[in-house]
Amino acid sequence: MRINWNGVYPALTTKFTAHDTLDLAAFGANLDAQVCAGVNGVIIGGSLGEASTLTLAEKEILVKFTVDRVGHQIPVLLNIAEGATREAVRQAELALEWGARGLMLLPPMRYKSDHRETVAFFKTVAAATDLPVMIYNNPVDYKIDVTPDMFEELIELRNIEAVKESTRDITNVTRLINRFGDRIKILCGVDTIATEALLMGACGWVGGLVGAFPAETVAIYRLIRAGRIEEALEIHRWFLPLLELDIHPKLVQYIKLAEVEAGLGTEYVRAPRLTLVGSEREQVLAVIRKGLANRPALPEYASLAI
């Protein structure tokens, strides 16, 4: 049940039909493209997966579908983002029953917990399962900073193994390494600075634009790990205008539109989100289409020794 944590872990978008039901055919096609490109695991029901709008039954369908589709090739993680500790515990227990091999865990939703409450929340959920846990630290969007002092207490639980580092402070990678060595595996959760985070010692990348550009994302990761930095930077420089779609409140709509243009998804979102219209849609399309028109030829990356 262990997870390596090295590599690229897409935070998958949830595909919907025009009738607001799960589109498993489109979801499966995108999932196949991720596996083909060489991702190291996938995350179901994250922020990008519109977690707050999914029912528990839909989460079960998505996890079981993904586990059946990928088999033992890569681990499937379920994101848990709940307001009540007992509901988070329940979903952690269900995730194991459904076949997930790990959890990504956000702090309490809709309540700004303090240090003691945040640690108690994470510990209670982690103690309720044997699944490996990655803490999602995103104080920019969720207003709770999981500090190094908190991690000092959290690592008392052996299955708290990793952090999705989304503070947008690149120095946090070094800060965590200096304090914890490799006890906490660091995965960058912000697309625009993932290359920098990997160069500073992060072991993985929880990606957003990987949904539309899986090969380019995995190539950057593998080239960096192989020491072929200039080649990775060349791809990153092309990629950056696209990666910036990940740091906007409408990242779900923007990335889904990129998936459509890349032939890997649908544009439907679940209300209260609405699909893009007018000048905003045209501006985002212009960025995406320019990127696609100038898409670089990738070096062979799959067989790199890393």
Side-chain angles (χ1 to χ4, degrees):
M1 205 178 288
R2 297 274 64 84
I3 294 178
N4 182 279
W5 298 114
N6 294 328
V8 174
Y9 287 73
L12 298 175
T13 58
T14 302
K15 312 302 187 289
F16 297 111
T17 68
H19 303 290
D20 197 33
T21 58
L22 295 179
D23 187 339
L24 293 178
F27 182 83
N30 186 282
L31 179 61
D32 291 346
Q34 303 301 319
V35 174
C36 183
V39 302
N40 301 88
V42 292
I43 300 169
I44 305 297
S47 307
L48 190 54
E50 298 174 74
S52 63
T53 70
L54 296 177
T55 67
L56 191 61
E58 287 173 328
K59 292 177 184 178
E60 179 179 4
I61 291 168
L62 288 167
V63 171
K64 288 182 174 179
F65 177 89
T66 305
V67 170
D68 287 344
R69 190 91 166 200
V70 304
H72 296 291
Q73 297 178 79
I74 56 174
V76 176
L77 285 73
L78 174 66
N79 178 63
I80 295 178
E82 297 299 324
T85 303
R86 66 178 180 178
E87 179 59 25
V89 166
R90 177 183 176 220
Q91 292 191 23
E93 294 168 343
L94 289 170
L96 179 61
E97 294 178 19
W98 298 341
R101 287 172 53 192
L103 302 173
M104 184 167 76
L105 182 58
L106 276 157
M109 297 288 96
R110 296 179 293 278
Y111 171 66
K112 191 176 184 300
S113 52
D114 66 15
H115 177 120
R116 182 172 64 95
E117 293 168 325
T118 303
V119 169
F121 174 85
F122 284 137
K123 280 190 165 185
T124 301
V125 180
T129 180
D130 291 328
L131 290 174
V133 173
M134 173 167 59
I135 301 297
Y136 184 179
N137 187 23
N138 185 349
V140 176
D141 293 319
Y142 297 111
K143 310 309 176 189
I144 296 172
D145 187 10
V146 187
T147 65
D149 286 345
M150 291 183 190
F151 274 110
E152 194 72 60
E153 299 175 56
L154 292 173
I155 60 174
E156 294 171 5
L157 277 73
R158 296 306 304 172
N159 64 327
I160 295 180
E161 298 180 355
V163 58
K164 179 182 175 183
E165 165 50 41
S166 299
T167 62
R168 305 191 191 183
D169 179 358
I170 196 67
T171 65
N172 226 30
V173 175
T174 301
R175 192 172 292 113
L176 290 169
I177 292 172
N178 283 350
R179 186 152 176 181
F180 302 110
D182 65 355
R183 171 62 184 85
I184 293 289
K185 306 298 184 183
I186 303 167
L187 291 83
C188 183
V190 182
D191 275 356
T192 53
I193 58 172
T195 294
E196 291 87 342
L198 291 167
L199 289 170
M200 295 308 297
C203 69
W205 178 355
V206 177
L209 267 297
V210 63
F213 299 95
E216 288 82 357
T217 307
V218 176
I220 289 173
Y221 170 80
R222 294 185 67 86
L223 287 165
I224 289 173
R225 291 300 293 263
R228 292 166 57 173
I229 307 303
E230 286 303 319
E231 291 169 277
L233 290 178
E234 185 176 350
I235 302 167
H236 168 78
R237 289 171 184 138
W238 159 82
F239 211 176
L240 184 59
L242 293 158
L243 296 176
E244 288 176 332
L245 301 177
D246 182 59
I247 54 171
H248 190 278
K250 293 186 182 178
L251 77 161
V252 174
Q253 291 96 315
Y254 289 5
I255 291 175
K256 281 193 167 184
L257 187 55
E259 290 178 342
V260 170
E261 291 295 301
L264 291 176
T266 68
E267 197 174 346
Y268 301 114
V269 291
R270 177 163 283 175
R273 289 182 179 86
L274 298 174
T275 54
L276 302 175
V277 296
S279 61
E280 181 183 22
R281 188 173 190 275
E282 291 307 310
Q283 289 167 8
V284 175
L285 275 174
V287 172
I288 297 166
R289 289 172 177 171
K290 182 177 180 180
L292 286 167
N294 297 291
R295 204 168 188 172
L298 300 178
E300 200 293 314
Y301 66 84
S303 61
L304 291 176
I306 59 174

